[in-house]
Amino acid sequence: MADSKEQQARSLLSAAAVRARAGEMLDIGLNGGLTHFTIDLDRMDGVADAVVAVTRRAYPTLDIPFHARWRHFVLGGVDRWARLADAASWADRAARARAEFDLAIVSVLLDAGAGATWRYHDAVTGQGIGRSEGLAIASLDMFASGLFSGDARAPFRVDADVLAKLPLAALTSAFQVSDANPLLGLEGRMDLLRRLGRLVAERAEVFGLHDTPRPGGLFDHIATSANNGTIPAPAILSAVLNQLGPIWPSRLELAGVPLGDCWHHPAIKADDATTGLVPLHKLSQWLSYSLIEPLQRAGLEVTDIDGLTGLAEYRNGGLFVDHEVLRLRDAADAARAHAVDSLLVVEWRALTVALLDRLAGLVRAKLGRTSDTLPLASILEGGTWAAGRAIAFARRPDGAPPLKVISDGTVF
C-alpha cells in the first residue's frame, strides 16, 4: 500500500495533474461551488482582445519566442547572456547547455516577487530595474562574475558546494539590498539556493555525470532520456520536480514525497490519497519553459510544449481579476493580505491555469494561429503576462496585483 501511495503522490508531480485539477476547480467555480470567487466567462473575449493588442505591439510579425527566463536577460535590445555565451569558448554544445542550465536554475529560483520598491542599479545602462527583470539582470551579473563558481578561471558555472555555503551577506550585496532598497523574501531565496547546493552535492549520480556536481548536470540527466533525439516538454518538468523537489520548504508530503507547490482545497475530490490536493508547480514550470531553449541549442528536439500549463502567478492571475472574469464574493478580500496556502489564493491560482487554456483558444482564433504555430508558451510571452502587468498599472499606480499575497520568496 505504501508503494501505491507513493505512486499517487508522484502522479501530482506532473503537468497533467496541474491541468486536470485546475480544470476541476474551474468546473466547480462555474457551478457556483467556490468559497471565494465567481466566474464570468462572458468577459473572456475582452481579455483575449487585450492580450492580442499587447502581443501585436511587442511582436508585430507574430514571431513570438517562448515565455522563459532568457527574455529577461535582454535589456535595451541587447541580449546580455547571448553576448557573453557567444564570446566564450565551449568544449562542445553540451558544455554550453550545462552552463545555461546552471544559470536558468539559479535565476528562476531567485525569481519570486521582489515587491514594489526594490530596484537593481544596472552598471551598464545606469538604469534602476525592478521586479522580475531586475532580479534577472542581478542574477546574470552574479553568475557572470563567478559568484557561484568554485573556480576563478571558470566563472560561468554553479558549483554545489559553493551554493551550499553561500553567505547571506553575498546575496544581500549582489541584490543591492539595504534599508532603503528592501527585497521581499531575501532569506527564503537564500535558503532555497543553499538547499539546492546540498541536494545537488548529495545526488552526484544525477548532477555529476560529466562534471563535479552542479545544477547544470540536470542537462545530462535529461539528455540521456532522449528518444531519437527528442524530449517531450512534460518530461523536463518531471525531471525538475522529481530531482529538485526536496529543495522546497517543508510543505505538504505524501508517502514521504515532497509535493512542492501543491496545496489543500476541500472541493477537489479524488478516490485516492491525493483527494483535496491542488498541484500548481509555478516556479518549476517557469524553469521547465526556460530549459527548452538550452536543450534545443544542444541539438535536441523538444516536443509537446503545450503539455506544460500556464503559470499560476500574479500577473496571469491578475489579468482575470482586473478584467472581472474572476470576481471576489467578498469585496473586502481585495484589501486583505492572504497566505499562499489560503483557500482564496489556491482557488485564484488554479482558476488562472484553467482560464489560460481557454484564453489560448480565443487568442489563436483572433490571430489565425493553431497550437502548433502559437503554443501556450508563446501566448504567455506575447501575451498574458504583459497584459496582466499593463492592466495592473492602469488600475493601480504602483502596478501591484489586485490581490495581496504574503510571499515567502519561493512561490511567486
Side-chain angles (χ1 to χ4, degrees), residues 10 28 50 96 154 253 276 315 390:
R10 293 206 180 275
I28 294 165
R96 174 169 173 165
E253 284 195 359
R315 288 303 181 205

Side-chain angles (χ1 to χ4, degrees), residues 116-139:
T117 58
W118 177 81
R119 294 288 183 277
Y120 181 72
H121 176 79
D122 174 43
V124 177
T125 62
Q127 287 178 257
I129 314 163
R131 300 192 183 272
S132 200
E133 292 89 344
L135 293 168
I137 295 299
S139 65

Side-chain angles (χ1 to χ4, degrees), residues 11-264:
S11 76
L12 296 174
L13 302 181
S14 69
V18 174
R19 182 164 271 122
R21 301 269 161 126
E24 191 177 337
M25 190 78 80
L26 179 60
D27 289 343
I28 294 165
L30 290 173
N31 288 318
L34 292 181
T35 313
H36 294 285
F37 289 96
T38 60
I39 303 161
D40 182 359
L41 291 182
D42 290 342
R43 301 188 71 86
M44 285 286 280
D45 198 62
V47 182
D49 285 337
V51 171
V52 166
V54 299
T55 299
R56 285 195 182 281
R57 269 201 304 278
Y59 300 100
T61 64
L62 298 184
D63 184 16
I64 309 165
F66 299 147
H67 189 56
R69 194 53 161 167
W70 309 107
R71 309 290 84 78
H72 290 156
F73 298 142
V74 180
L75 199 61
V78 176
D79 186 331
R80 298 233 177 136
W81 169 245
R83 180 174 281 187
L84 288 168
D86 291 347
S89 58
W90 305 101
D92 52 27
R93 290 192 295 184
R96 174 169 173 165
R98 285 180 205 112
E100 291 182 332
F101 266 55
D102 275 339
L103 172 57
I105 291 169
V106 168
S107 187
V108 167
L109 291 184
L110 291 170
D111 184 33
T117 58
W118 177 81
R119 294 288 183 277
Y120 181 72
H121 176 79
D122 174 43
V124 177
T125 62
Q127 287 178 257
I129 314 163
R131 300 192 183 272
S132 200
E133 292 89 344
L135 293 168
I137 295 299
S139 65
L140 177 59
D141 285 351
M142 293 177 212
F143 181 75
S145 73
L147 181 66
F148 308 118
S149 172
D151 182 351
R153 298 160 301 172
F156 296 170
R157 59 180 293 123
V158 175
D159 285 299
D161 54 349
V162 174
L163 268 193
K165 299 186 181 79
L166 197 67
L168 181 61
L171 206 61
T172 303
S173 170
F175 274 130
Q176 304 171 356
V177 175
S178 66
D179 290 343
N181 192 34
L183 175 65
L184 289 183
L186 181 64
E187 288 81 3
R189 295 167 213 264
M190 181 74 260
D191 185 49
L192 208 51
L193 289 189
R194 288 180 183 156
R195 285 169 174 264
L196 173 66
R198 291 195 296 270
L199 176 86
V200 168
E202 289 164 6
R203 295 191 173 181
E205 75 283 2
V206 173
F207 296 99
L209 290 175
H210 288 278
D211 203 341
T212 52
R214 55 191 286 198
L218 190 64
F219 164 76
D220 300 295
H221 176 76
I222 292 174
T224 55
S225 71
N227 184 12
N228 291 325
T230 66
I231 303 275
I236 302 172
L237 178 64
S238 290
V240 166
L241 289 172
N242 282 288
Q243 300 306 331
L244 300 179
I247 71 172
W248 300 105
S250 181
R251 293 189 189 122
L252 296 179
E253 284 195 359
L254 182 58
V257 178
L259 300 180
D261 184 4
C262 181
W263 311 90
H264 278 297

